[in-house]
Amino acid sequence: MSSNLAIKLRTGTQKSHTAAENVGFMKCFLKGVVDRDCFAKFLGNLYYVYSKLEAEIERHRHHPLVSAIYFPELNRKPFLEKDMEFYYGNEWCTKIKASAVTQHYIARIGEVSVTAPELLIGHAYTRYMGDLSGGQMLQKIAQPALKLEGYQGTSFYNFEHITDKKAFKQKYRQALDSLPIDDATVERIVAEANTAFRFNMQMAQELEGNLISAVGKVLFNTIITGDNPGSTEATTAS
Ligand code: HEM
């Protein structure tokens, strides 16, 4: 019997998704208003998030539930390392630092990995399904805005082991639906996905100050006025 987890995650995080899209940093990003330093910091935080997430998923790869969403072809850490080297050079390890929110985010991933590994599914869903969807739009915006070549500096968005992203998203949703879990567990995973969204929103909010310094308060305020409709509020998924 299907757990319907995929659709429950989508509908259960719609409000969070719309809120995340409407954070000033994201709204500016969508308009191509992003600077190299902010973008590098954004990816730097994600480097810490994915390092932790992928290590914990790897640890639980034989777990009865986590194993269903164990798809190493999704792994972003090696790609983020390439981006870090691009922005900060060979010594990148000594030049980057996890932001305060990022530290809370990775602590939470570590905590659920110990106490309730099935909640890692909420974290994996939030990041990877997003990267395969809106993330691809963001790459197409960042590349010309930052005058980058190919995937140089945007390797993070390059899923070179996944040729058909749409088909992969369907496979991922089927894996979510196939989990033999009760309604209470579904609810806990959806709640954890909303927690993951909150961390992502807060990480973007942390970067607003840097972005305002780079682009100016007037431009920033012009862009952030008014709410955009949410991309996951449509009834059919792509
Ligand atoms: C400006 C920022 C963003 C844009 C433009 C955007 C756009 C989109 C689009 C177009 C989709 C596809 C909707 C569909 O399947 O019909 C999507 C899906 C998704 N996005 Fe975003 N997104 C953004 C930010 C985020 C953030 C910050 C997260 C969380 C970290 C996120 C997580 C997701 C997830 C999990 C899905 C899959 C929804 C499903 O279950 O079908 N997105 N996004």
Side-chain angles (χ1 to χ4, degrees):
M1 221 186 68
S2 171
S3 66
N4 290 323
L5 180 58
I7 190 68
K8 287 186 178 159
L9 275 166
R10 184 183 166 91
T11 50
T13 60
Q14 262 167 1
K15 284 201 177 77
S16 296
H17 191 279
T18 304
E21 280 179 272
N22 281 291
V23 171
F25 177 80
M26 284 299 167
K27 287 173 90 172
C28 285
F29 200 143
L30 285 177
K31 292 242 159 38
V33 176
V34 54
D35 86 306
R36 191 180 159 108
D37 177 54
C38 276
F39 186 64
K41 283 203 167 72
F42 174 67
L43 292 183
N45 285 330
L46 290 179
Y47 165 77
Y48 290 102
V49 171
Y50 284 87
S51 299
K52 185 68 180 166
L53 181 61
E54 289 166 6
E56 299 312 317
I57 290 177
E58 187 68 34
R59 188 192 311 281
H60 293 292
R61 67 190 180 280
H62 301 304
H63 181 277
L65 301 175
V66 177
S67 57
I69 55 107
Y70 179 68
F71 295 108
E73 62 268 46
L74 284 171
N75 286 357
R76 298 294 83 208
K77 187 181 173 200
F79 294 90
L80 284 159
E81 284 171 345
K82 262 198 230 175
D83 288 336
M84 290 300 97
E85 193 172 338
F86 175 76
Y87 290 110
Y88 299 107
N90 286 342
E91 306 279 296
W92 63 269
C93 266
T94 60
K95 296 188 181 147
I96 66 168
K97 188 175 174 288
S99 72
V101 171
T102 307
Q103 292 179 31
H104 290 300
Y105 190 173
I106 61 179
R108 176 67 188 167
I109 294 172
E111 185 190 332
V112 301
S113 181
V114 172
T115 59
E118 66 280 7
L119 298 187
L120 290 172
I121 296 165
H123 285 279
Y125 161 81
T126 303
R127 281 302 334 174
Y128 294 121
M129 285 293 273
D131 300 334
L132 290 166
S133 308
Q136 300 301 303
M137 292 163 60
L138 297 179
Q139 193 277 339
K140 289 191 182 72
I141 294 167
Q143 193 216 48
L146 299 175
K147 302 185 177 57
L148 299 167
E149 291 288 321
Y151 276 110
Q152 223 178 25
T154 60
S155 298
F156 166 62
Y157 299 104
N158 184 12
F159 285 88
E160 62 181 18
H161 307 301
I162 299 176
T163 40
D164 184 344
K165 294 185 191 68
K166 201 174 165 183
F168 186 89
K169 285 202 286 179
Q170 282 312 330
K171 184 164 88 170
Y172 200 89
R173 289 190 180 105
Q174 276 163 15
L176 292 171
D177 285 344
S178 73
L179 290 168
I181 49 177
D182 58 15
D183 288 349
T185 309
V186 167
E187 294 309 316
R188 286 167 53 241
I189 294 174
V190 173
E192 193 63 27
N194 278 307
T195 300
F197 265 93
R198 219 161 26 247
F199 282 125
N200 279 281
M201 262 179 80
Q202 290 170 355
M203 278 194 322
Q205 279 161 344
E206 272 181 321
L207 289 172
E208 263 172 33
N210 286 69
L211 189 62
I212 291 169
S213 312
V215 305
K217 185 94 184 141
V218 175
L219 177 58
F220 182 82
N221 284 340
T222 311
I223 291 174
I224 64 162
T225 308
D227 275 353
N228 293 327
S231 295
T232 60
E233 294 196 19
T235 42
T236 49
S238 59

